[in-house]
Amino acid sequence: MTRIRINKFDGIAPKVAPKLLPPTYAQESSNCKPWSGNLRPWREPSTVNTPSKAGDILAIYYYNAAYWLHWTTDVDVVKGPIAGDTKKRIYYTGDGVPKVTNTDLVNVGGGTDYPKDYYTLGIPAPGEAPGVTAATGVGAAETRVYVWTYVSTLGEEGKPSQPTTVVGKVDDTWTITMGMAVVTLTRAGSTATANVAGHGRTTGDYVLMAGANEAEYNGIKQITVLDANNFTYAVTGTPATPATGTIKSSYYNLTNGDSVITKKRIYRVSSGTNYLFVKEVDVSITSTVDTVANSALGEVIPTRNYDVPPTDLKGLTEFPGGIMVGFSPALQQLCFSEPFQPHAWPVAYRRTIPDIVALGVYGNTVVVATTTFAYRVGGTHPSAMSSLKTSEIYSCLSKRGTVSLGKEGVMFPTPEGLVVVGIGGERTITETILSADEWASFYPSTLRAKSWNGRYVGFYETEIINGIQLGGGFVIEFKQGQANMFPFNFFAYTLYVHPEDGALYLLIKDAAIKYIKKFDAGGTNMS
């Protein structure tokens, strides 16, 4: 009797003619899970959630073991690198301006369209230098330079204002005011009108209104300009009109101004060049007195370079050392956050790299995949990163198909095949099993993928019929320089790997109903 013994299974190799295939390869394969040494199927995925947002879901994230966050745009999510963070902040890009949400915001209001609310990422510098007066002293002359900053409800501090230099006497009463004076503030219905001489604002800008005794007038407001001295904004409730108090308006330069500011901090230079902490006041305070002696001043201001992130930041990725990295298509720049300060994205840390498509990280290196070359940008601090361009052109076809695969490096689809850029260099890992023509049949520009158990899991779209996307998928195992490919016979809109249980979750659409399913977790086998 003749026996055929196969000790392992290596998937498909369409590049090789069927008669020349080694015995461990298949001409066809579907839903095979061969890594135990046996040829067996994956189990059917098990439904865990039915997301509620209308439209195609392109990103999912399981938050705080309670909420399935989901988006109809290509969103990247990173957990906040904040020690002792009881608010469990997460940061995300791809859904308009960069955002942060937490346990206070994620489920605000009714419904299940999580996340329900957010803050815009970044704390801008105040739009006006402080006003400073010095009077009543008789001592020696002294020159002081003052700045002020915003502080959010999360304790995040922004970049300082422009400075004000004042010459006075060492024993003067030094009075600091913050913002432009509001001459009158009145209300008609739900519209407040502020008279601010020469405000210099534009319709659509955001301002911080502070100092009104009627709380409804205060806060971050988007304005409509009437003329050079007047603007309006919406208010809730029926506060008294005109408003009372010492009211100030300060420019708040964010595209979407819904970060919550609760404090202001004042710093000064009395000698040397460092701004030293004077005091912190509530956001409602618009004028305060500095009585702190030079010898009692506090810490050096830590936020002089704490710029807000670009409004089009995308591709948010975690980097070692409490650093986040993303890129701005408009600025053509790779951007890094300040270590352990994810709201701060110093301009000084940015690098110009044209036509960025996607990012991935291995070790202390971020791989920047572009429409031409790929770049390795590495180091331990954003202020001192080195850069190296690949020797060959590797045109990245899909941001969502780019995956960080641990020590192997970063993988992304190109017209020639799946490329890896890592410690061992760069190469097209699928070249032994797929030619460019066969690779094209997997529609690499539509790939969406994740790293799961050290393997590349991807799905691709072939067509849309009656509003339903169709396609397929595959697993690629990459070991010792060899890529093995095992196809699926179904399509998933997006993937998510939960770091706490290591499970792979898929967004699958059945007719018009969307399901989040845990992969290989059902009670029956796939065919």
Side-chain angles (χ1 to χ4, degrees):
M1 176 183 284
T2 301
R3 292 183 178 180
I4 299 175
R5 182 170 183 172
I6 301 175
N7 293 319
K8 65 173 183 172
F9 298 91
D10 289 325
I12 63 171
K15 183 177 181 178
V16 182
K19 67 174 66 177
L20 300 178
L21 278 173
T24 58
Y25 283 88
Q27 285 183 254
E28 295 183 11
S29 172
S30 180
N31 303 331
C32 294
K33 181 182 181 180
W35 296 297
S36 65
N38 297 322
L39 191 60
R40 58 181 180 173
W42 298 100
R43 288 177 291 167
E44 291 282 356
S46 174
T47 299
V48 297
N49 186 263
T50 305
S52 55
K53 286 181 182 173
D56 292 335
I57 305 301
L58 302 184
I60 56 178
Y61 184 90
Y62 193 45
Y63 177 74
N64 200 27
Y67 306 104
W68 275 104
L69 281 52
H70 53 291
W71 297 267
T72 58
T73 53
D74 175 22
V75 167
D76 295 288
V77 185
V78 174
K79 289 181 70 172
I82 312 298
D85 179 19
T86 59
K87 300 293 186 182
K88 298 186 178 180
R89 280 169 266 184
I90 59 168
Y91 299 78
Y92 57 100
T93 60
D95 181 34
V97 296
K99 298 177 173 72
V100 53
T101 192
N102 59 28
T103 52
D104 292 337
L105 301 171
V106 72
N107 65 339
V108 171
T112 57
D113 287 356
Y114 307 120
K116 301 292 292 182
D117 203 0
Y118 62 88
Y119 296 143
T120 300
L121 182 59
I123 309 298
E128 297 81 27
V132 183
T133 59
T136 71
V138 295
E142 181 179 32
T143 299
R144 292 184 180 181
V145 185
Y146 284 89
V147 295
W148 63 292
T149 66
Y150 293 132
V151 182
S152 78
T153 187
L154 299 174
E156 302 161 325
E157 184 177 8
K159 192 172 182 177
S161 67
Q162 291 297 310
T164 295
T165 302
V166 174
V167 178
K169 297 180 176 62
V170 67
D171 57 345
D172 269 338
T173 298
W174 302 78
T175 303
I176 300 96
T177 59
M178 293 156 284
M180 301 180 73
V182 178
V183 181
T184 60
L185 182 58
T186 59
R187 179 184 60 83
S190 60
T191 300
T193 300
N195 177 260
V196 183
H199 57 69
R201 305 294 168 239
T202 301
T203 293
D205 283 349
Y206 287 85
V207 296
L208 174 66
M209 301 295 295
N213 293 328
E214 300 80 13
E216 294 90 341
Y217 289 110
N218 297 327
I220 298 166
K221 310 292 185 179
Q222 188 173 30
I223 65 170
T224 299
V225 171
L226 300 180
D227 55 43
N229 301 315
N230 295 276
F231 58 79
T232 65
Y233 60 89
V235 293
T236 58
T238 56
T241 182
T244 58
T246 304
I247 309 169
K248 300 286 186 179
S249 168
S250 183
Y251 184 40
Y252 190 85
N253 186 21
L254 273 186
T255 299
N256 189 330
D258 48 15
S259 297
V260 176
I261 302 304
T262 57
K263 302 290 182 181
K264 301 170 181 175
R265 288 180 186 159
I266 299 167
Y267 297 83
R268 80 170 195 242
V269 175
S270 293
S271 61
T273 59
N274 289 324
Y275 289 100
L276 304 179
F277 178 74
V278 176
K279 66 193 308 185
E280 180 179 271
V281 298
D282 189 82
V283 68
S284 62
I285 302 299
T286 58
S287 180
T288 188
V289 174
D290 174 13
T291 59
V292 181
N294 288 339
S295 60
L297 291 171
E299 67 171 350
V300 175
I301 188 171
T303 64
R304 291 186 73 166
N305 297 314
Y306 279 17
D307 299 287
V308 298
T311 57
D312 68 334
L313 189 74
K314 63 187 301 185
L316 192 68
T317 305
E318 186 177 7
F319 193 83
I323 300 165
M324 292 185 186
V325 59
F327 66 95
S328 165
L331 299 176
Q332 302 270 296
Q333 287 181 331
L334 178 69
C335 308
F336 293 92
S337 75
E338 186 71 20
F340 301 104
Q341 299 292 337
H343 69 285
W345 293 74
V347 171
Y349 295 166
R350 299 177 189 175
R351 290 176 170 268
T352 298
I353 298 178
D355 302 319
I356 300 174
V357 176
L359 306 177
V361 172
Y362 70 91
N364 286 319
T365 299
V366 55
V367 174
V368 185
T370 77
T371 57
T372 53
F373 295 91
Y375 297 78
R376 294 180 180 85
V377 181
T380 57
H381 194 277
S383 63
M385 293 284 187
S386 61
S387 180
L388 179 66
K389 185 171 70 174
T390 57
S391 57
E392 302 289 338
I393 290 177
Y394 294 109
S395 178
C396 181
L397 296 179
S398 171
K399 171 186 173 295
R400 298 177 70 199
T402 301
V403 164
S404 300
L405 205 66
K407 64 181 181 180
E408 301 292 354
V410 175
M411 294 184 183
F412 57 90
T414 73
E416 290 73 35
L418 193 63
V419 165
V420 61
V421 177
I423 296 174
E426 61 268 356
R427 60 181 287 247
T428 304
I429 65 168
T430 52
E431 61 185 350
T432 60
I433 58 173
L434 295 166
S435 69
D437 289 338
E438 284 106 18
W439 175 241
S441 68
F442 292 97
Y443 298 84
S445 65
T446 71
L447 271 172
R448 63 290 313 265
K450 291 293 181 184
S451 168
W452 183 54
N453 291 336
R455 300 175 177 100
Y456 182 101
V457 183
F459 290 89
Y460 57 90
E461 177 189 332
T462 56
E463 58 185 334
I464 300 176
I465 298 178
N466 296 326
I468 304 297
Q469 289 173 295
L470 303 177
F474 54 81
V475 179
I476 289 182
E477 186 176 40
F478 180 59
K479 289 185 177 180
Q480 298 175 337
Q482 174 62 45
N484 296 320
M485 186 178 197
F486 303 91
F488 299 125
N489 69 350
F490 67 97
F491 173 73
Y493 280 70
T494 192
L495 310 81
Y496 168 70
V497 177
H498 189 45
E500 294 180 17
D501 64 9
L504 173 65
Y505 295 88
L506 307 175
L507 193 290
I508 295 175
K509 197 171 183 179
D510 184 1
I513 303 176
K514 300 177 283 284
Y515 300 96
I516 296 175
K517 293 177 177 280
K518 186 176 182 180
F519 182 63
D520 195 34
T524 60
N525 290 330
M526 302 176 82
S527 60

